[in-house]
Amino acid sequence: MTLTVRKLTPEWEALYDAFVRKAESAQFFASLKYRDLLKEFLGPTVDDHYFIAVDQGGLIKGVLPSFILKMEGAGPIANSLPFYGSNGGAIVEPGDRQTVALLLTHFHDFTVNLCCSSSTVVTSPFELHLDVYEETLKPTYKDSRIGQLTSLPNAAGVPEEVVMAALHHKTRNMVRKAIKQGVQVRDDLWDGCLDFVTSTHADNMRVIGGRAKPPQFFRMVERLFDYGNDYKVFTAWINNKPVAALLLFYYNGFVEYFTPVIIAEYRTSQPLSLSIFTAMADAITNGYRWWNWGGTWHTQDGVYQFKRSWGAIDKPYEYFINIGDDNILRQDKEQLLNNAPYFYVAPFSKFVKNSGDFQR
């Protein structure tokens, strides 16, 4: 079978969307709406390059999404995909190793021809062809995260009882505590909902020294996505006051645990636990297959155990990194964080000047 790799253009978008939606392992990050969100959010210094492998009959056999960041004072940086460890890589029909290799070869050659200082492919937690990535990309470095996902059973019975049965006993107790304390959870885009998520998220990140998603990101979510189909917000209320919320994205059978927020003084009432519980039951009711908690660093034992307590199983995924110009590893921390805040460059231990976190 002869395949041609080309850049995705508007006339191919309907076929791209249909192909991705048929792929059981394709997550929200491969969607065109997510592409549009990143294009607008990341701004004019970034170009999207979504590649499609097409057969002689005009059928798409595989896709690979990526973004290129133009860097001042250094070669471009390529990520498949950028932004908080979004999963990228090749999406193909089951078992099609040949198309995986073809797409990865095209991506690698493309980044070499662009003189990229760094290029990274973040695989899916469901990737079955890691050996093809290794053989094709011959990475300078590798990194990994622990993907954690909870299977949402298509089982008979009351969804709340199905969820409760899967939880660790301490987590069940947290949910029951929230119910006993009168916490109410509802799913709606109430007036000021995303403003509450934005400000509470900023407060939560400030406490732990993390980088918060800025207000414009959440404004774009409301404008570019359809509430109830593409995303939902489950808000917990105590005495008619919002005290916690959970922003989730929905795509192709997956629920993406994207932004949880909580007002610190209400933590003991467990409003976020009840929000998660309610959202999981809702997902089962609506036929979703997987709840994706996202990646966990190997050093984040507390985060790891929290997700495990909700029935999460481990699905590790890999970062394949190629360094095209060693000078990128000599830049200092603040310069890189300012110039490439949402792109992965290399494992932090490989940088010469700093031991801080350069990874996204």
Side-chain angles (χ1 to χ4, degrees), residues 167-193:
L167 304 184
H168 187 277
H169 68 90
K170 290 184 179 179
T171 304
R172 290 199 293 269
N173 289 339
M174 290 191 295
V175 172
R176 290 168 179 148
K177 180 178 182 180
I179 295 171
K180 287 179 181 178
Q181 297 207 1
V183 177
Q184 300 292 316
V185 175
R186 71 177 197 236
D187 143 37
D188 65 340
L189 195 62
W190 50 276
D191 186 31
C193 176

PDB file of all heavy atoms in Angstrom, residues 167-193:
ATOM      1  N   LEU A 167     -14.387   2.637  44.552  1.00  0.00           N
ATOM      2  CA  LEU A 167     -13.548   3.564  45.308  1.00  0.00           C
ATOM      3  C   LEU A 167     -12.885   2.888  46.504  1.00  0.00           C
ATOM      4  O   LEU A 167     -13.407   1.939  47.095  1.00  0.00           O
ATOM      5  CB  LEU A 167     -14.396   4.737  45.812  1.00  0.00           C
ATOM      6  CG  LEU A 167     -15.170   5.537  44.749  1.00  0.00           C
ATOM      7  CD1 LEU A 167     -15.873   6.719  45.408  1.00  0.00           C
ATOM      8  CD2 LEU A 167     -14.264   5.990  43.632  1.00  0.00           C
ATOM      9  N   HIS A 168     -11.726   3.432  46.886  1.00  0.00           N
ATOM     10  CA  HIS A 168     -11.086   3.060  48.140  1.00  0.00           C
ATOM     11  C   HIS A 168     -12.016   3.456  49.293  1.00  0.00           C
ATOM     12  O   HIS A 168     -12.748   4.449  49.195  1.00  0.00           O
ATOM     13  CB  HIS A 168      -9.743   3.780  48.251  1.00  0.00           C
ATOM     14  CG  HIS A 168      -8.915   3.362  49.417  1.00  0.00           C
ATOM     15  ND1 HIS A 168      -9.099   3.881  50.689  1.00  0.00           N
ATOM     16  CD2 HIS A 168      -7.888   2.476  49.503  1.00  0.00           C
ATOM     17  CE1 HIS A 168      -8.213   3.325  51.507  1.00  0.00           C
ATOM     18  NE2 HIS A 168      -7.473   2.469  50.828  1.00  0.00           N
ATOM     19  N   HIS A 169     -11.989   2.713  50.369  1.00  0.00           N
ATOM     20  CA  HIS A 169     -12.952   2.968  51.456  1.00  0.00           C
ATOM     21  C   HIS A 169     -12.799   4.374  52.030  1.00  0.00           C
ATOM     22  O   HIS A 169     -13.796   5.005  52.429  1.00  0.00           O
ATOM     23  CB  HIS A 169     -12.839   1.905  52.553  1.00  0.00           C
ATOM     24  CG  HIS A 169     -11.564   1.956  53.340  1.00  0.00           C
ATOM     25  ND1 HIS A 169     -11.421   2.700  54.483  1.00  0.00           N
ATOM     26  CD2 HIS A 169     -10.363   1.342  53.131  1.00  0.00           C
ATOM     27  CE1 HIS A 169     -10.192   2.548  54.968  1.00  0.00           C
ATOM     28  NE2 HIS A 169      -9.529   1.730  54.167  1.00  0.00           N
ATOM     29  N   LYS A 170     -11.569   4.924  52.044  1.00  0.00           N
ATOM     30  CA  LYS A 170     -11.386   6.286  52.556  1.00  0.00           C
ATOM     31  C   LYS A 170     -12.028   7.307  51.616  1.00  0.00           C
ATOM     32  O   LYS A 170     -12.563   8.330  52.077  1.00  0.00           O
ATOM     33  CB  LYS A 170      -9.901   6.579  52.739  1.00  0.00           C
ATOM     34  CG  LYS A 170      -9.261   5.807  53.882  1.00  0.00           C
ATOM     35  CD  LYS A 170      -7.799   6.211  54.069  1.00  0.00           C
ATOM     36  CE  LYS A 170      -7.172   5.454  55.243  1.00  0.00           C
ATOM     37  NZ  LYS A 170      -5.733   5.815  55.420  1.00  0.00           N
ATOM     38  N   THR A 171     -11.967   7.035  50.331  1.00  0.00           N
ATOM     39  CA  THR A 171     -12.585   7.942  49.361  1.00  0.00           C
ATOM     40  C   THR A 171     -14.099   7.871  49.455  1.00  0.00           C
ATOM     41  O   THR A 171     -14.793   8.892  49.369  1.00  0.00           O
ATOM     42  CB  THR A 171     -12.106   7.595  47.939  1.00  0.00           C
ATOM     43  OG1 THR A 171     -10.679   7.629  47.906  1.00  0.00           O
ATOM     44  CG2 THR A 171     -12.651   8.574  46.916  1.00  0.00           C
ATOM     45  N   ARG A 172     -14.640   6.669  49.660  1.00  0.00           N
ATOM     46  CA  ARG A 172     -16.086   6.544  49.878  1.00  0.00           C
ATOM     47  C   ARG A 172     -16.514   7.368  51.089  1.00  0.00           C
ATOM     48  O   ARG A 172     -17.547   8.039  51.058  1.00  0.00           O
ATOM     49  CB  ARG A 172     -16.470   5.074  50.078  1.00  0.00           C
ATOM     50  CG  ARG A 172     -16.356   4.231  48.823  1.00  0.00           C
ATOM     51  CD  ARG A 172     -17.165   2.943  48.962  1.00  0.00           C
ATOM     52  NE  ARG A 172     -16.609   2.056  49.972  1.00  0.00           N
ATOM     53  CZ  ARG A 172     -15.712   1.103  49.731  1.00  0.00           C
ATOM     54  NH1 ARG A 172     -15.263   0.918  48.494  1.00  0.00           N
ATOM     55  NH2 ARG A 172     -15.277   0.322  50.689  1.00  0.00           N
ATOM     56  N   ASN A 173     -15.704   7.330  52.129  1.00  0.00           N
ATOM     57  CA  ASN A 173     -16.035   8.096  53.344  1.00  0.00           C
ATOM     58  C   ASN A 173     -16.003   9.598  53.085  1.00  0.00           C
ATOM     59  O   ASN A 173     -16.810  10.351  53.651  1.00  0.00           O
ATOM     60  CB  ASN A 173     -15.069   7.735  54.477  1.00  0.00           C
ATOM     61  CG  ASN A 173     -15.303   6.329  55.013  1.00  0.00           C
ATOM     62  OD1 ASN A 173     -16.380   5.752  54.836  1.00  0.00           O
ATOM     63  ND2 ASN A 173     -14.292   5.773  55.677  1.00  0.00           N
ATOM     64  N   MET A 174     -15.081  10.054  52.222  1.00  0.00           N
ATOM     65  CA  MET A 174     -15.017  11.485  51.902  1.00  0.00           C
ATOM     66  C   MET A 174     -16.269  11.921  51.149  1.00  0.00           C
ATOM     67  O   MET A 174     -16.821  13.004  51.403  1.00  0.00           O
ATOM     68  CB  MET A 174     -13.763  11.787  51.086  1.00  0.00           C
ATOM     69  CG  MET A 174     -12.470  11.664  51.884  1.00  0.00           C
ATOM     70  SD  MET A 174     -11.002  12.309  51.031  1.00  0.00           S
ATOM     71  CE  MET A 174     -10.868  11.179  49.644  1.00  0.00           C
ATOM     72  N   VAL A 175     -16.729  11.085  50.225  1.00  0.00           N
ATOM     73  CA  VAL A 175     -17.951  11.400  49.486  1.00  0.00           C
ATOM     74  C   VAL A 175     -19.140  11.447  50.436  1.00  0.00           C
ATOM     75  O   VAL A 175     -19.970  12.373  50.389  1.00  0.00           O
ATOM     76  CB  VAL A 175     -18.177  10.353  48.373  1.00  0.00           C
ATOM     77  CG1 VAL A 175     -19.548  10.547  47.730  1.00  0.00           C
ATOM     78  CG2 VAL A 175     -17.073  10.442  47.326  1.00  0.00           C
ATOM     79  N   ARG A 176     -19.233  10.446  51.314  1.00  0.00           N
ATOM     80  CA  ARG A 176     -20.349  10.413  52.275  1.00  0.00           C
ATOM     81  C   ARG A 176     -20.312  11.615  53.217  1.00  0.00           C
ATOM     82  O   ARG A 176     -21.362  12.160  53.592  1.00  0.00           O
ATOM     83  CB  ARG A 176     -20.311   9.107  53.066  1.00  0.00           C
ATOM     84  CG  ARG A 176     -20.678   7.881  52.212  1.00  0.00           C
ATOM     85  CD  ARG A 176     -20.364   6.602  52.933  1.00  0.00           C
ATOM     86  NE  ARG A 176     -20.740   5.429  52.132  1.00  0.00           N
ATOM     87  CZ  ARG A 176     -20.087   4.278  52.165  1.00  0.00           C
ATOM     88  NH1 ARG A 176     -19.037   4.124  52.977  1.00  0.00           N
ATOM     89  NH2 ARG A 176     -20.487   3.263  51.403  1.00  0.00           N
ATOM     90  N   LYS A 177     -19.113  12.044  53.600  1.00  0.00           N
ATOM     91  CA  LYS A 177     -18.993  13.205  54.489  1.00  0.00           C
ATOM     92  C   LYS A 177     -19.551  14.449  53.818  1.00  0.00           C
ATOM     93  O   LYS A 177     -20.278  15.242  54.441  1.00  0.00           O
ATOM     94  CB  LYS A 177     -17.526  13.417  54.873  1.00  0.00           C
ATOM     95  CG  LYS A 177     -17.315  14.609  55.791  1.00  0.00           C
ATOM     96  CD  LYS A 177     -15.850  14.758  56.200  1.00  0.00           C
ATOM     97  CE  LYS A 177     -15.679  15.935  57.152  1.00  0.00           C
ATOM     98  NZ  LYS A 177     -14.258  16.106  57.563  1.00  0.00           N
ATOM     99  N   ALA A 178     -19.220  14.636  52.535  1.00  0.00           N
ATOM    100  CA  ALA A 178     -19.724  15.800  51.808  1.00  0.00           C
ATOM    101  C   ALA A 178     -21.244  15.788  51.736  1.00  0.00           C
ATOM    102  O   ALA A 178     -21.902  16.825  51.923  1.00  0.00           O
ATOM    103  CB  ALA A 178     -19.124  15.826  50.403  1.00  0.00           C
ATOM    104  N   ILE A 179     -21.809  14.611  51.497  1.00  0.00           N
ATOM    105  CA  ILE A 179     -23.269  14.503  51.426  1.00  0.00           C
ATOM    106  C   ILE A 179     -23.899  14.842  52.783  1.00  0.00           C
ATOM    107  O   ILE A 179     -24.871  15.606  52.865  1.00  0.00           O
ATOM    108  CB  ILE A 179     -23.669  13.089  50.971  1.00  0.00           C
ATOM    109  CG1 ILE A 179     -23.200  12.841  49.531  1.00  0.00           C
ATOM    110  CG2 ILE A 179     -25.179  12.895  51.088  1.00  0.00           C
ATOM    111  CD1 ILE A 179     -23.351  11.398  49.073  1.00  0.00           C
ATOM    112  N   LYS A 180     -23.307  14.291  53.855  1.00  0.00           N
ATOM    113  CA  LYS A 180     -23.849  14.544  55.198  1.00  0.00           C
ATOM    114  C   LYS A 180     -23.749  16.015  55.572  1.00  0.00           C
ATOM    115  O   LYS A 180     -24.603  16.533  56.317  1.00  0.00           O
ATOM    116  CB  LYS A 180     -23.091  13.694  56.219  1.00  0.00           C
ATOM    117  CG  LYS A 180     -23.432  12.206  56.163  1.00  0.00           C
ATOM    118  CD  LYS A 180     -22.620  11.418  57.184  1.00  0.00           C
ATOM    119  CE  LYS A 180     -22.943   9.929  57.112  1.00  0.00           C
ATOM    120  NZ  LYS A 180     -22.112   9.140  58.070  1.00  0.00           N
ATOM    121  N   GLN A 181     -22.737  16.705  55.076  1.00  0.00           N
ATOM    122  CA  GLN A 181     -22.560  18.119  55.420  1.00  0.00           C
ATOM    123  C   GLN A 181     -23.371  19.043  54.510  1.00  0.00           C
ATOM    124  O   GLN A 181     -23.247  20.263  54.586  1.00  0.00           O
ATOM    125  CB  GLN A 181     -21.079  18.484  55.383  1.00  0.00           C
ATOM    126  CG  GLN A 181     -20.273  17.720  56.413  1.00  0.00           C
ATOM    127  CD  GLN A 181     -19.027  18.463  56.864  1.00  0.00           C
ATOM    128  OE1 GLN A 181     -18.740  19.563  56.433  1.00  0.00           O
ATOM    129  NE2 GLN A 181     -18.279  17.855  57.777  1.00  0.00           N
ATOM    130  N   GLY A 182     -24.187  18.458  53.671  1.00  0.00           N
ATOM    131  CA  GLY A 182     -25.102  19.264  52.876  1.00  0.00           C
ATOM    132  C   GLY A 182     -24.517  19.888  51.630  1.00  0.00           C
ATOM    133  O   GLY A 182     -25.107  20.821  51.066  1.00  0.00           O
ATOM    134  N   VAL A 183     -23.375  19.393  51.172  1.00  0.00           N
ATOM    135  CA  VAL A 183     -22.806  19.904  49.930  1.00  0.00           C
ATOM    136  C   VAL A 183     -23.725  19.528  48.773  1.00  0.00           C
ATOM    137  O   VAL A 183     -24.190  18.391  48.677  1.00  0.00           O
ATOM    138  CB  VAL A 183     -21.390  19.321  49.695  1.00  0.00           C
ATOM    139  CG1 VAL A 183     -20.824  19.812  48.354  1.00  0.00           C
ATOM    140  CG2 VAL A 183     -20.448  19.691  50.837  1.00  0.00           C
ATOM    141  N   GLN A 184     -23.995  20.479  47.913  1.00  0.00           N
ATOM    142  CA  GLN A 184     -24.810  20.258  46.727  1.00  0.00           C
ATOM    143  C   GLN A 184     -23.941  20.427  45.480  1.00  0.00           C
ATOM    144  O   GLN A 184     -23.165  21.377  45.390  1.00  0.00           O
ATOM    145  CB  GLN A 184     -25.977  21.257  46.680  1.00  0.00           C
ATOM    146  CG  GLN A 184     -26.920  21.182  47.876  1.00  0.00           C
ATOM    147  CD  GLN A 184     -27.710  19.890  47.897  1.00  0.00           C
ATOM    148  OE1 GLN A 184     -28.217  19.447  46.857  1.00  0.00           O
ATOM    149  NE2 GLN A 184     -27.824  19.282  49.071  1.00  0.00           N
ATOM    150  N   VAL A 185     -24.068  19.514  44.536  1.00  0.00           N
ATOM    151  CA  VAL A 185     -23.293  19.597  43.289  1.00  0.00           C
ATOM    152  C   VAL A 185     -24.252  19.687  42.120  1.00  0.00           C
ATOM    153  O   VAL A 185     -25.216  18.919  42.041  1.00  0.00           O
ATOM    154  CB  VAL A 185     -22.374  18.368  43.110  1.00  0.00           C
ATOM    155  CG1 VAL A 185     -21.664  18.424  41.752  1.00  0.00           C
ATOM    156  CG2 VAL A 185     -21.336  18.312  44.223  1.00  0.00           C
ATOM    157  N   ARG A 186     -23.964  20.622  41.238  1.00  0.00           N
ATOM    158  CA  ARG A 186     -24.777  20.715  40.031  1.00  0.00           C
ATOM    159  C   ARG A 186     -23.890  20.976  38.817  1.00  0.00           C
ATOM    160  O   ARG A 186     -22.790  21.524  38.927  1.00  0.00           O
ATOM    161  CB  ARG A 186     -25.859  21.769  40.174  1.00  0.00           C
ATOM    162  CG  ARG A 186     -25.392  23.213  40.181  1.00  0.00           C
ATOM    163  CD  ARG A 186     -26.597  24.152  40.256  1.00  0.00           C
ATOM    164  NE  ARG A 186     -26.268  25.509  39.866  1.00  0.00           N
ATOM    165  CZ  ARG A 186     -26.462  26.577  40.624  1.00  0.00           C
ATOM    166  NH1 ARG A 186     -26.960  26.437  41.841  1.00  0.00           N
ATOM    167  NH2 ARG A 186     -26.143  27.790  40.178  1.00  0.00           N
ATOM    168  N   ASP A 187     -24.395  20.553  37.670  1.00  0.00           N
ATOM    169  CA  ASP A 187     -23.697  20.688  36.397  1.00  0.00           C
ATOM    170  C   ASP A 187     -24.437  21.736  35.583  1.00  0.00           C
ATOM    171  O   ASP A 187     -25.516  21.477  35.045  1.00  0.00           O
ATOM    172  CB  ASP A 187     -23.668  19.319  35.682  1.00  0.00           C
ATOM    173  CG  ASP A 187     -23.834  19.400  34.167  1.00  0.00           C
ATOM    174  OD1 ASP A 187     -23.318  20.347  33.564  1.00  0.00           O
ATOM    175  OD2 ASP A 187     -24.491  18.497  33.604  1.00  0.00           O
ATOM    176  N   ASP A 188     -23.882  22.954  35.539  1.00  0.00           N
ATOM    177  CA  ASP A 188     -24.451  24.003  34.691  1.00  0.00           C
ATOM    178  C   ASP A 188     -23.440  25.139  34.562  1.00  0.00           C
ATOM    179  O   ASP A 188     -22.514  25.271  35.350  1.00  0.00           O
ATOM    180  CB  ASP A 188     -25.788  24.520  35.237  1.00  0.00           C
ATOM    181  CG  ASP A 188     -25.644  25.223  36.583  1.00  0.00           C
ATOM    182  OD1 ASP A 188     -24.626  24.988  37.270  1.00  0.00           O
ATOM    183  OD2 ASP A 188     -26.541  25.992  36.953  1.00  0.00           O
ATOM    184  N   LEU A 189     -23.653  25.938  33.537  1.00  0.00           N
ATOM    185  CA  LEU A 189     -22.776  27.083  33.292  1.00  0.00           C
ATOM    186  C   LEU A 189     -23.451  28.315  33.888  1.00  0.00           C
ATOM    187  O   LEU A 189     -23.981  29.169  33.189  1.00  0.00           O
ATOM    188  CB  LEU A 189     -22.530  27.247  31.787  1.00  0.00           C
ATOM    189  CG  LEU A 189     -21.375  28.162  31.373  1.00  0.00           C
ATOM    190  CD1 LEU A 189     -20.048  27.629  31.896  1.00  0.00           C
ATOM    191  CD2 LEU A 189     -21.319  28.276  29.855  1.00  0.00           C
ATOM    192  N   TRP A 190     -23.442  28.367  35.218  1.00  0.00           N
ATOM    193  CA  TRP A 190     -24.103  29.463  35.913  1.00  0.00           C
ATOM    194  C   TRP A 190     -23.356  30.781  35.678  1.00  0.00           C
ATOM    195  O   TRP A 190     -22.190  30.791  35.289  1.00  0.00           O
ATOM    196  CB  TRP A 190     -24.219  29.146  37.398  1.00  0.00           C
ATOM    197  CG  TRP A 190     -22.947  28.686  38.073  1.00  0.00           C
ATOM    198  CD1 TRP A 190     -22.459  27.415  38.095  1.00  0.00           C
ATOM    199  CD2 TRP A 190     -22.016  29.481  38.808  1.00  0.00           C
ATOM    200  NE1 TRP A 190     -21.288  27.363  38.802  1.00  0.00           N
ATOM    201  CE2 TRP A 190     -20.983  28.617  39.255  1.00  0.00           C
ATOM    202  CE3 TRP A 190     -21.939  30.828  39.142  1.00  0.00           C
ATOM    203  CZ2 TRP A 190     -19.903  29.073  40.013  1.00  0.00           C
ATOM    204  CZ3 TRP A 190     -20.865  31.296  39.899  1.00  0.00           C
ATOM    205  CH2 TRP A 190     -19.870  30.407  40.324  1.00  0.00           C
ATOM    206  N   ASP A 191     -24.024  31.872  35.899  1.00  0.00           N
ATOM    207  CA  ASP A 191     -23.444  33.193  35.656  1.00  0.00           C
ATOM    208  C   ASP A 191     -22.209  33.384  36.552  1.00  0.00           C
ATOM    209  O   ASP A 191     -22.309  33.325  37.774  1.00  0.00           O
ATOM    210  CB  ASP A 191     -24.491  34.275  35.952  1.00  0.00           C
ATOM    211  CG  ASP A 191     -23.999  35.664  35.579  1.00  0.00           C
ATOM    212  OD1 ASP A 191     -23.199  35.775  34.634  1.00  0.00           O
ATOM    213  OD2 ASP A 191     -24.427  36.637  36.244  1.00  0.00           O
ATOM    214  N   GLY A 192     -21.047  33.569  35.918  1.00  0.00           N
ATOM    215  CA  GLY A 192     -19.803  33.715  36.668  1.00  0.00           C
ATOM    216  C   GLY A 192     -19.086  32.413  36.922  1.00  0.00           C
ATOM    217  O   GLY A 192     -18.065  32.388  37.627  1.00  0.00           O
ATOM    218  N   CYS A 193     -19.580  31.318  36.345  1.00  0.00           N
ATOM    219  CA  CYS A 193     -19.013  29.994  36.598  1.00  0.00           C
ATOM    220  C   CYS A 193     -17.521  29.929  36.246  1.00  0.00           C
ATOM    221  O   CYS A 193     -16.686  29.551  37.083  1.00  0.00           O
ATOM    222  CB  CYS A 193     -19.794  28.951  35.796  1.00  0.00           C
ATOM    223  SG  CYS A 193     -19.155  27.271  35.905  1.00  0.00           S
TER     224      CYS A 193
END
